[in-house]
């Protein structure tokens, strides 16, 4: 499928709605912007992604345990973490279109366009020189590439300085000097750049009791930090060790767009890995590699991932990068890997007055551990999988089909059992098979419409296998299994069908490949 195309995203959004994956939230009231509901298949896919992450991170690692902390936390948590003071985005409005943008995103998008020009030169030269092409040497010597790279470096240096020094006057100047226009209207008539805090707040208790202001957590990580000592002590954990959790996070995103890519309510899967100070860079590299392997194991295409190092580090990090994925709208952040130093635990020590340290029995010293974090958005992972799986095909006979080529182990429905006709004992036999299958996999019975239409429906849902019960089943106890991607069919005995499906959709081979 061609990438970088908004039409692709539109098709995916409408397919997701038509087939029960994702609905706009409260749609009967015309929806609520940037909030979505997962439908009957979406919830299963989401659950399977979460399960694959959980197994890979928690159950496969002896030194990582999970928790489930509450969304509401003591308000001082967010003062300590820096979110009250520093969880801001620099916003700019276009005076003609009245649209609001993140100033940093406007600049990053501008840089991405120059990067695309460099890539175009590289691709052109690679084609021309074939096997003898040396990409590194080309980038170091080609005048056009060098000129563009210099442009990027200059913009980046000024942008970084502006953000660090909160020099929003110069940030606006930079946008103007680069000639950045509103992507919607093309206008260059901008307001000043202003800071905007992204946390949602609400009140705990009734007003009469003297309610206190609390926040909906903007990341799940703080629930882990405040439980560091509880888990370390009760689990008798030794460094290095990790604490993982999955759960909802909330951000008042100004420009929440692009479907479930950027929402105001979303789900994170985060792991904080506590390490001895001085070893954090080693662990940072280690987790970068491990997380990339996890992504690639799903078979969405190795070329669809790349690392992007942060120039503009968050207030808590001494190194950070994103794993970017080639979404329909281009390469964008899917997961963040951050070396968060001892910033959070130290801040919580200071604000709570409680020691959050580790006693190292080898050196007989106590210290605050350093932390390497892996943080992935479950909804973004869902979009990455759905977008890559969505395929429109023209078949040999000239007909067309839309198929979701989902990783089989993650597909919402693993198999559909279809009686060829609704008589002659075929429905009863089909139900018998379903009743066996449902103990191990999510399977469904589909008896409505002609068989061809049922296959197409299951293709559109992404069901890897259709088991068809026909008259031969009654005679010799065999059924056909049709595979989703190749559409090939084979006959197997009813006695073997359950284990065939179980093996073909098993998560274990993926986990073993990590
Ligand atoms: N604890 C670190 C942290 O929260 P982040 O880079 O702000 O870091 C981590 O967020 C991940 O959460 C991102 O890589 C992205 O996948 C997901 N995420 C962040 N904001 C999101 C939003 N508004 N909608 C959907 N996913 C989001």
């Amino acid at each position: 499928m061609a990438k970088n195309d908004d039409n692709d995203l539109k098709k995916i959004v409408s397919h997701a709605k038509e087939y029960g994956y994702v609905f706009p939230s409260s749609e009967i009231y015309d929806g609520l912007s940037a909030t979505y509901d997962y439908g009957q298949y979406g919830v299963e896919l989401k659950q399977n992604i979460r399960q694959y992450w959980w197994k890979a991170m928690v159950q496969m690692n002896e030194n990582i345990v999970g928790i489930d902390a509450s969304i509401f936390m003591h308000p001082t948590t967010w003062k300590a973490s820096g979110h009250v003071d520093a969880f801001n985005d620099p916003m700019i409005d276009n005076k003609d279109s009245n649209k609001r943008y993140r100033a940093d995103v406007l600049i990053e998008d501008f840089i991405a366009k120059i990067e695309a020009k460099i890539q175009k030169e590289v691709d052109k030269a690679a084609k021309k020189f074939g096997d003898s092409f040396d990409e590194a040497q080309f980038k170091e010597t080609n005048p056009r590439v060098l000129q563009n790279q210099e442009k990027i470096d200059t913009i980046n240096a000024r942008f970084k300085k502006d953000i660090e020094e909160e020099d929003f006057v110069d940030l606006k100047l930079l946008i103007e000097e680069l000639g950045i226009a509103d992507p919607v209207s093309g206008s260059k008539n901008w307001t000043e750049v202003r800071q905007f805090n992204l946390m949602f707040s609400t009140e705990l208790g009734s007003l009469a009791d003297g309610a206190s202001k609390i926040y909906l957590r903007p990341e799940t990580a703080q629930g882990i930090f405040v439980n560091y000592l509880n888990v370390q002590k009760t689990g008798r954990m030794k460094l290095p060790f990790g604490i993982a959790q999955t759960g909802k996070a909330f951000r008042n995103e100004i420009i929440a767009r692009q479907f479930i890519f950027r929402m105001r309510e979303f789900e994170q899967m985060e792991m904080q890995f506590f390490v001895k100070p001085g070893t954090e860079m080693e662990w940072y590299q280690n987790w970068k590699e491990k997380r990339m392997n996890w992504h690639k194991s799903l078979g969405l295409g190795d070329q669809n991932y790349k690392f992007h190092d942060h120039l503009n580090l968050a207030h808590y990090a001494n190194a950070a990068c994103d794993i970017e994925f080639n979404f329909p709208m281009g390469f964008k952040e899917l997961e963040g890997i951050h070396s968060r130093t001892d910033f959070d635990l130290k801040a919580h020590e200071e604000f709570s007055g409680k020691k959050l340290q580790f006693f190292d029995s080898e050196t007989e010293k106590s210290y605050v551990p350093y932390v390497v974090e892996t943080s992935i958005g479950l909804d973004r992972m869902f979009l990455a999988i759905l977008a890559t799986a969505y395929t429109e095909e023209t078949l040999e006979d000239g007909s067309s089909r839309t198929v979701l080529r989902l990783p089989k182990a993650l597909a919402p429905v693993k198999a559909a059992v279809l009686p060829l006709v609704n008589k002659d004992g075929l429905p009863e036999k089909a139900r018998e098979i379903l009743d066996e299958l449902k103990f191990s996999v999510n399977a469904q019975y589909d008896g409505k419409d002609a068989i061809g239409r049922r296959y197409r429906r299951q293709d559109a849902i992404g069901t890897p296998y259709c088991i068809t019960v026909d008259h031969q089943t009654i005679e010799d106890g065999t059924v056909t299994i049709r595979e989703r991607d190749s559409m090939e069919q084979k006959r197997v005995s009813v006695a073997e069908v359950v284990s065939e499906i179980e093996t073909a959709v098993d998560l274990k081979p993926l986990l073993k490949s990590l």
Side-chain angles (χ1 to χ4, degrees), residues 484-514:
R484 177 194 67 199
D485 301 341
S486 64
M487 294 181 287
E488 275 169 14
Q489 302 196 13
K490 64 174 183 182
R491 282 205 93 84
V492 299
S493 73
V494 171
E496 286 166 11
V497 76
V498 172
S499 69
E500 277 260 347
I501 302 290
E502 277 173 2
T503 310
V505 302
D506 197 0
L507 201 57
K508 274 200 264 349
L510 289 191
L511 289 166
K512 284 186 178 165
S513 75
L514 295 175

Side-chain angles (χ1 to χ4, degrees), residues 218-219 221 251 253 260-263 266 268 270 316 333-336 338 340 373 375-377 380:
E219 61 170 12
R251 294 182 191 178
E253 300 281 4
I260 53 174
F261 181 83
R262 194 180 302 285
M263 295 195 286
F266 58 99
Q268 288 187 316
E270 298 201 297
Y316 48 72
E333 176 185 347
L334 171 59
E335 169 157 7
H338 313 125
R340 287 180 83 129
E373 158 185 80
S375 173
I376 174 172
R380 282 194 193 174

Side-chain angles (χ1 to χ4, degrees), residues 399-413:
S399 64
S400 61
R401 71 164 182 161
T402 301
V403 53
L404 288 186
R405 293 172 176 268
L406 298 167
K408 289 179 179 170
L410 302 187
V413 181

